[in-house]
């Protein structure tokens, strides 16, 4: 594992981090009009935010395109110029948000140093703090994705499979009699299930409290209980600062 410093990822807000009707993203009228491309990109971002808030609040099935457009301050014709429908918009917002989260986790993992338990802990800490900072996205991406159709569930499964990369530097596991690939899949699935359960019942803002148990669950199957116990130290003032907080504006609890 490389220990060289890497540039910090661009601090892109998660979908749902801002209100869709954000005054700073209002399209200014007047003689100096912005390009059609800028207008479309701004409307897309606002619709992402509006969709995440509406889905998190109403549930995927009950969030209508009209509700999403109203929350974003965007017309229905503009919505359908960008997306074929609600499911298409959901998938686009989900993919965009997951790309932001994954980039932040990857950066934290690589910057944590050469010891895999510390790197795994850093990636988990970032995941939990990012989700806690944007509760609406957490609910949309972990809970409501189940209701968004088979394509969304396939995206979710592909995401979980991609998280296997964070275990590439882990130890060999308990022995030759255990299928390592299956062990990694089992650990990733257990971590996801625990986080999803906390998001479903809330409060989402307390997700970072899961860091010790999730770190232990991630490390122990590969390196044993002693190394896992060392890795679960709580976040302290002297620790390196989290890169999760700047990625989002603190939102209102759901």
């Amino acid at each position: 594992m490389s220990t060289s410093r890497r540039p910090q990822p661009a601090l892109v807000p998660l979908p749902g981090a801002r209100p869709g009707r954000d005054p700073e993203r209002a399209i200014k009228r007047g003689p100096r009009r912005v390009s059609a491309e800028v207008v479309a990109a701004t409307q897309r971002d606002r619709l992402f935010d509006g969709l995440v808030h509406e889905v998190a609040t109403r549930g995927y099935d009950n969030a209508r395109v009209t509700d999403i457009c109203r929350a974003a301050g965007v017309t229905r014709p503009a919505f359908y110029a960008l997306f074929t429908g609600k499911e298409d918009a959901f998938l686009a917002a989900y993919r965009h948000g997951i790309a932001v989260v994954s980039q932040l986790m990857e950066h934290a993992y690589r910057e944590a140093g050469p010891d895999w338990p510390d790197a795994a802990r850093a990636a988990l800490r970032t995941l939990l703090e990012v989700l806690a900072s944007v509760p609406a996205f957490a609910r949309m991406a972990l809970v409501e994705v189940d209701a968004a159709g088979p394509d969304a569930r396939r995206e979710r499964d592909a995401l979980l499979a991609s998280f296997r990369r964070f275990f590439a530097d882990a130890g060999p596991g308990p022995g030759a009699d255990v299928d390592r690939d299956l062990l990694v899949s089992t650990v990733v699935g257990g971590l996801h299930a625990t986080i999803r359960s906390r998001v479903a019942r809330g409060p989402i803002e307390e997700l970072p409290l899961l860091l010790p148990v999730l770190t232990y669950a991630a490390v122990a199957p590969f390196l044993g209980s002693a190394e896992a116990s060392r890795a679960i130290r709580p976040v302290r003032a002297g620790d390196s600062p989290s890169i999760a907080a700047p990625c989002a504006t603190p939102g209102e609890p759901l």
Side-chain angles (χ1 to χ4, degrees), residues 19-231:
R21 290 178 174 271
D22 182 1
E24 293 184 3
R25 290 181 290 169
I27 303 298
K28 304 295 189 298
R29 300 182 182 277
R32 302 179 64 180
R33 296 181 179 178
V34 297
S35 68
E37 291 78 11
V38 171
V39 171
T42 301
Q43 290 176 330
R44 184 182 180 89
D45 280 349
R46 287 164 56 181
L47 285 166
F48 281 171
D49 290 322
L51 180 145
V52 169
H53 284 293
E54 289 299 305
V55 168
T57 301
R58 301 174 184 266
Y60 178 81
D61 291 334
N62 295 323
R64 303 171 302 169
V65 169
T66 298
D67 300 322
I68 295 166
C69 290
R70 184 182 301 112
V74 174
T75 65
R76 284 176 63 92
F79 176 93
Y80 283 107
L82 293 167
F83 308 110
T84 60
K86 182 174 71 170
E87 181 179 355
D88 184 37
F90 182 98
L91 288 171
Y94 180 86
R95 290 169 182 148
H96 176 69
I98 291 303
V100 173
V101 175
S102 296
Q103 185 182 33
L104 290 169
M105 290 177 66
E106 185 73 33
H107 179 83
Y109 182 84
R110 295 299 174 189
E111 289 299 303
D115 294 332
W116 176 74
D118 294 335
R121 176 181 178 274
L124 284 168
R125 178 187 173 193
T126 295
L127 173 62
L128 295 172
E129 292 185 353
V130 168
L131 294 177
S133 70
V134 190
F137 179 79
R139 184 173 293 279
M140 172 261 198
L142 274 84
V143 178
E144 294 302 325
V145 67
D146 293 335
D151 287 343
R153 292 190 289 273
R154 279 191 287 270
E155 290 281 341
R156 187 263 324 277
D157 293 344
L159 169 66
L160 294 181
S162 76
F163 282 168
R164 294 168 56 86
R165 71 189 187 276
F166 294 115
F167 292 83
D169 299 315
D177 294 336
V178 174
D179 184 322
R180 189 181 188 283
D181 287 341
L182 182 58
L183 176 62
V184 171
S185 296
T186 301
V187 171
V188 170
L191 297 175
H192 170 262
T194 301
I195 296 171
R196 184 195 181 282
S197 176
R198 178 57 62 90
V199 169
R201 71 175 189 269
I204 298 173
E205 293 81 3
E206 293 182 1
L207 275 173
L209 298 178
L210 296 177
L211 182 59
V213 69
L214 295 185
T215 301
Y216 189 93
V219 173
F222 302 94
L223 299 179
S225 60
E227 184 62 27
S229 296
R230 184 200 68 79

Side-chain angles (χ1 to χ4, degrees), residues 5-11 103-104 107 111 241-244 246-247:
R5 299 292 296 179
R6 296 170 181 239
Q8 183 167 319
L11 301 179
Q103 185 182 33
L104 290 169
H107 179 83
E111 289 299 303
S242 169
I243 64 169
C247 85

